Amino acid sequence: MSAESLRPVFKLALAVCVIAVAYLAFAPLETPPLFTYDKSNHLLAFFVMAWLADMSWPGRRYALSRWGWLLAYGMLIELVQRELPLREFSLLDFAADALGIGLYSIGRAALNRFRFEH
């Protein structure tokens, strides 16, 4: 299968991931579900969503939109959490979201460079 033919699958996976992240962000959970350090969960979630977004809308043409929408989603999560009784607004969580996106972008660029040189 070509990457083009898999785009709808990646878009569906991204939508499912966005919904799952929202549930985990807004549910009244006492401890994080995956890693005990909450920032690790943010980093991993946004790394995965960056990959799914990149596979759904590849190319430089969409890069600013992809990362902008993901960052906006991260900030939306924090703004909603500010209003929830068992949650709180955290710029460190938002920074972990941005770091996940950034690490994906750096890794993708390094992989592309390696492929191009070899």
Side-chain angles (χ1 to χ4, degrees):
M1 286 190 145
S2 70
E4 178 75 30
S5 66
L6 289 174
R7 282 200 190 123
V9 174
F10 286 115
K11 289 177 181 179
L12 178 61
L14 178 60
V16 169
C17 193
V18 165
I19 292 167
V21 167
Y23 170 77
L24 293 171
F26 305 145
L29 305 173
E30 300 223 2
T31 58
L34 189 56
F35 298 112
T36 55
Y37 185 59
D38 178 53
K39 305 311 176 254
S40 301
N41 287 328
H42 282 265
L43 191 144
L44 178 63
F46 278 79
F47 185 96
V48 169
M49 287 191 293
W51 172 68
L52 291 170
D54 193 28
M55 298 306 292
S56 297
W57 294 279
R60 288 184 175 202
R61 177 179 172 199
Y62 298 107
L64 287 177
S65 296
R66 282 191 307 261
W67 311 148
W69 281 110
L70 285 175
L71 287 172
Y73 179 59
M75 183 52 69
L76 176 66
I77 287 171
E78 296 309 315
L79 292 172
V80 170
Q81 284 182 336
R82 182 181 66 184
E83 304 301 321
L84 297 175
L86 296 176
R87 299 296 186 154
E88 61 187 33
F89 179 90
S90 171
L91 282 178
L92 288 177
D93 286 352
F94 181 70
D97 300 343
L99 183 60
I101 295 167
L103 288 175
Y104 169 78
S105 297
I106 291 167
R108 173 74 184 213
L111 184 61
N112 286 343
R113 178 176 290 155
F114 178 78
R115 285 183 186 161
F116 181 71
E117 292 175 357
H118 290 92

